[in-house]
Amino acid sequence: MNNTTRFKIHIYSPKSGHNDLYSFTKTKAGWKFENYRCKGEVDKGGNPLFYKTLNAESISNPDHLASCISEVWEQAETLDEKQIQHIFDELSRMNL
């Protein structure tokens, strides 16, 4: 896997009334996280910045979301980019 590949997740924001784009790029220790509000380093599960951003957008998230994102990070070396993006697409459909 190319460590510069950005994986995208679209999440509906009740605050803005449309889907917002969030992106994750795998790093050695976690992810580089980015959206229109902010960007920065997060851990394997997306903590803390991803969840602070979701909270700021009034988006509730399931308790297992961090473990799902962490699992993707763990499997990233054995999955190809399309498979990883597919998992993020599935997370997008979870209706957070």
Side-chain angles (χ1 to χ4, degrees):
M1 181 192 76
N2 181 343
N3 281 353
T4 60
T5 302
R6 288 176 28 167
F7 300 104
K8 300 170 186 161
I9 182 171
H10 300 270
I11 302 172
Y12 178 78
S13 168
K15 204 171 193 180
S16 67
H18 57 79
N19 285 340
D20 290 335
L21 175 65
Y22 301 84
S23 69
F24 291 84
T25 304
K26 189 175 184 293
T27 66
K28 287 183 180 184
W31 301 97
K32 179 180 151 191
F33 166 76
E34 186 174 348
N35 83 334
Y36 76 95
R37 284 183 161 264
C38 58
K39 62 182 172 179
E41 297 291 322
V42 296
D43 71 8
K44 295 174 187 177
N47 293 297
L49 194 55
F50 175 52
Y51 301 99
K52 286 182 181 180
T53 305
L54 293 180
N55 288 336
E57 290 295 319
S58 302
I59 299 169
S60 61
N61 58 80
D63 292 336
H64 66 280
L65 183 58
S67 62
C68 290
I69 293 173
S70 182
E71 180 80 16
V72 173
W73 189 93
E74 295 290 339
Q75 295 180 7
E77 296 307 316
T78 59
L79 300 174
D80 66 31
E81 293 171 8
K82 287 182 181 180
Q83 291 171 310
I84 296 169
Q85 184 57 57
H86 178 74
I87 294 168
F88 277 106
D89 292 344
E90 290 296 316
L91 292 173
S92 293
R93 291 190 266 285
M94 285 178 51
N95 297 319
L96 302 177

